[in-house]
């Protein structure tokens, strides 16, 4: 899998930055100058390519994976910060991969980043999220869960 900012979106550099030559493909989503009483959508800003030889289902782990640190200590992923495809969230809810989107071998899709700072989310700061963990599961792997 490869993840990068969509070069066709001029606002991409305001939201997503790459970590340099040794970043292992890491990207950083940053919050700056967003309306604190609005939902801000960065349409199709994240470009994901399936470099594998088979179709995979892409989703975002809401628990941040198995890191020794807590990547989302304030539980903001899926609520304040959401990753969407075609208007629907790809953040896991009750089961791993339950909101996944299929991505064929060699294909790419653009994903939207949504920051919702309305109502109960007013004043929340997504900078407390140290990482977002994307999962790419094959149908064989999901059948065994």
């Amino acid at each position: 899998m490869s993840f990068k900012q969509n070069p066709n979106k001029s606002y991409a550099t305001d939201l997503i930055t790459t970590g340099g030559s040794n970043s292992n493909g890491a990207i950083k989503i940053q919050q700056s100058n967003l309306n604190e009483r609005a939902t801000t959508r960065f349409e199709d800003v994240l470009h994901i390519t399936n470099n594998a030889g088979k179709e995979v289902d892409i989703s975002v782990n809401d628990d941040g994976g198995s890191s020794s640190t807590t990547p989302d200590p304030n539980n903001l992923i899926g609520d304040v910060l959401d990753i969407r495809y075609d208007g629907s969230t790809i953040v896991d809810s009750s089961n791993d991969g339950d909101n996944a989107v299929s991505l064929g071998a060699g294909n790419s899709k653009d994903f939207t980043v949504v920051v919702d700072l309305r109502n109960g989310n007013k004043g929340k700061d997504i900078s407390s999220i140290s990482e977002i963990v994307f999962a790419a599961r094959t149908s064989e792997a999901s059948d065994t869960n």
Side-chain angles (χ1 to χ4, degrees):
M1 305 303 309
S2 67
F3 302 83
K4 65 179 182 176
Q5 66 185 3
N6 186 339
N8 297 319
K9 299 296 179 179
S10 61
Y11 54 74
T13 56
D14 294 335
L15 181 73
I16 298 177
T17 57
T18 56
S21 61
N22 295 322
S23 67
N24 295 321
I27 58 172
K28 179 176 181 174
I29 297 176
Q30 56 194 12
Q31 174 182 355
S32 60
N33 300 321
L34 297 179
N35 185 334
E36 292 183 9
R37 297 176 194 213
T39 298
T40 305
R41 287 176 182 79
F42 296 91
E43 297 287 337
D44 300 332
V45 72
L46 182 60
H47 187 78
I48 300 176
T49 301
N50 179 356
N51 298 327
K54 60 174 79 175
E55 181 175 312
V56 294
D57 294 332
I58 302 291
S59 67
V60 172
N61 286 350
D62 63 341
D63 62 0
S66 59
S67 175
S68 61
T69 61
T70 305
D72 184 15
N74 298 315
N75 296 316
L76 302 177
I77 296 173
D79 184 29
V80 176
L81 177 68
D82 197 9
I83 309 296
R84 297 182 184 173
Y85 178 76
D86 204 21
S88 298
T89 186
I90 65 164
V91 176
D92 296 338
S93 56
S94 56
N95 295 308
D96 288 349
D98 58 359
N99 290 320
V101 62
S102 294
L103 185 56
N107 291 325
S108 300
K109 289 186 177 180
D110 293 328
F111 293 79
T112 296
V113 174
V114 178
V115 181
D116 183 356
L117 298 175
R118 297 173 300 147
N119 305 319
N121 293 336
K122 184 177 181 284
K124 301 282 174 99
D125 184 3
I126 64 172
S127 68
S128 66
I129 301 170
S130 63
E131 62 187 41
I132 300 172
V133 178
F134 286 82
R137 298 174 183 90
T138 63
S139 60
E140 293 86 13
S142 62
D143 289 342
T144 61
N145 289 338

